[in-house]
Amino acid sequence: MKPSRSTMLSAPKLFVHLFAIILLLPIAVFAQIPASQHPVSAPPGAQTGQAQADTQHPALLLVGDSIMHTGTGTAETGPWGWGTEIIPMFDPAKIHVYNEGLGGRSSRGYIQEGAWAKIMDRLQPGDWVIVQFGHNDAANSQNYPDRTTLKGNGDETQEIDSPVTHEKETIHSYGWYMRQYVRDARSKGASVIICSPPPRNTWVDGKIVRGLDGYAGWAAEAATQSGALFIDLNTISADKYDALGQEATRPLFNDNQHSRKAGAHLNAESVVTGIKQLKNCPLAKDLASAGP
């Protein structure tokens, strides 16, 4: 049977209508989605996290691990970092404090993953950096399988097979990475304070164990060798824990390593004590008048 003229003419029209429906269907579906759920593209040049343009100066940037920055909410339960507690101990009219600690990182890991490069992009002359690592440098973990550093403060290196990239990699000592922070920050005109890592909740003969397996001493050596200022956070906090005693100290820790809010506050006060003990340290002038 021969197709009619009307049928032959309707085919192109049908194709046009189908094509239009296909084009308009995504728009119709998108219109049904609430505006708050629409995907948003970042503008050109936008940065994730704390953008460089958002950093107010002079700035104090806190660089470290979960001992410095961890916890959620208001810290009613669970671990808490001292970096959050120290922010109100400074006068916001004089300096702007940013807690940039990252849980699970070592002195090497923070640099290697690019977190330190982002800090460097934000630094300006007159800024300050406080660096505290050590709790994660001795061993890898399931979440961070390639973070270890060589023990000590020397310039020796070791070639390893990275468990992440499966490529050859050269790693340095803990002290070498700590000195790298100082060199880099000074190149931007910033001043650096190295803190020794605070003690774990480990006691022997009624005294808290000091030194954190040598990392406190290596932090001091790195500060001396690089010319950075040094706060012996390990000793200052350990003195306070010993004065409290083992039983009274127990509630200040969430586990053997991480503090709760009260313990974080104690460590923050210890950092402030250390700043005040530094000879002619300009940062001391930026402390709040009600500081410890």
Side-chain angles (χ1 to χ4, degrees):
M1 179 178 178
K2 188 175 182 179
S4 66
R5 181 177 177 84
S6 60
T7 304
M8 293 174 63
L9 291 174
S10 62
K13 292 181 180 179
L14 180 61
F15 176 78
V16 170
H17 285 303
L18 288 173
F19 186 73
I21 291 172
I22 292 171
L23 287 177
L24 293 174
L25 184 59
I27 299 175
V29 173
F30 187 79
Q32 301 302 313
I33 302 174
S36 62
Q37 297 180 22
H38 288 177
V40 179
S41 298
Q47 301 179 27
T48 57
Q50 179 68 50
Q52 181 178 356
D54 294 340
T55 304
Q56 295 178 281
H57 302 273
L60 166 59
L61 293 106
L62 308 178
V63 172
D65 51 32
S66 59
I67 306 303
M68 178 182 283
H69 193 181
T70 192
T72 57
T74 58
E76 294 178 1
T77 59
W80 197 248
W82 65 259
T84 306
E85 291 297 299
I86 204 172
I87 292 175
M89 297 180 185
F90 284 90
D91 186 343
K94 296 179 180 179
I95 197 163
H96 306 277
V97 185
Y98 299 91
N99 186 3
E100 302 299 341
L102 294 173
R105 275 61 168 195
S106 65
S107 60
R108 166 183 157 228
Y110 197 96
I111 295 174
Q112 193 163 292
E113 73 175 46
W116 176 238
K118 294 178 181 178
I119 299 295
M120 285 289 292
D121 287 341
R122 294 162 58 190
L123 286 179
Q124 292 185 8
D127 287 343
W128 287 81
V129 180
I130 294 181
V131 183
Q132 180 244 288
F133 286 103
H135 284 78
N136 299 320
D137 279 70
N140 293 323
S141 70
Q142 183 175 357
N143 292 332
Y144 302 94
D146 187 16
R147 68 182 182 185
T148 57
T149 58
L150 302 181
K151 293 183 177 181
N153 183 51
D155 291 323
E156 64 274 13
T157 62
Q158 180 180 332
E159 189 177 77
I160 66 168
D161 292 314
S162 171
V164 175
T165 65
H166 305 292
E167 296 179 354
K168 296 292 184 181
E169 184 178 353
T170 300
I171 64 173
H172 301 266
S173 72
Y174 164 79
W176 186 93
Y177 290 106
M178 297 298 280
R179 288 182 272 126
Q180 185 66 46
Y181 288 105
V182 179
R183 289 191 294 267
D184 289 348
R186 280 184 167 176
S187 73
K188 298 297 289 286
S191 300
V192 183
I193 297 175
I194 290 178
C195 281
S196 59
R200 300 185 183 95
N201 189 25
T202 302
W203 295 72
V204 175
D205 297 330
K207 297 292 184 180
I208 200 162
V209 176
R210 301 171 181 240
L212 201 81
D213 306 325
Y215 287 95
W218 298 327
E221 292 174 4
T224 299
Q225 192 170 342
S226 63
L229 297 173
F230 176 68
I231 292 175
D232 193 356
L233 177 57
N234 188 275
T235 295
I236 298 172
S237 288
D239 287 345
K240 294 179 179 181
Y241 291 137
D242 279 348
L244 289 170
Q246 186 171 358
E247 289 304 313
T249 295
R250 195 186 311 277
L252 304 184
F253 280 86
N254 187 66
D255 50 45
N256 181 254
Q257 186 151 282
H258 298 93
S259 60
R260 292 183 178 173
K261 185 176 177 66
H265 193 82
L266 182 148
N267 284 329
E269 289 182 333
S270 296
V271 174
V272 170
T273 297
I275 291 173
K276 290 180 176 180
Q277 290 175 350
L278 293 172
K279 187 176 181 180
N280 300 322
C281 178
L283 189 61
K285 299 178 182 179
D286 297 332
L287 292 167
S289 57

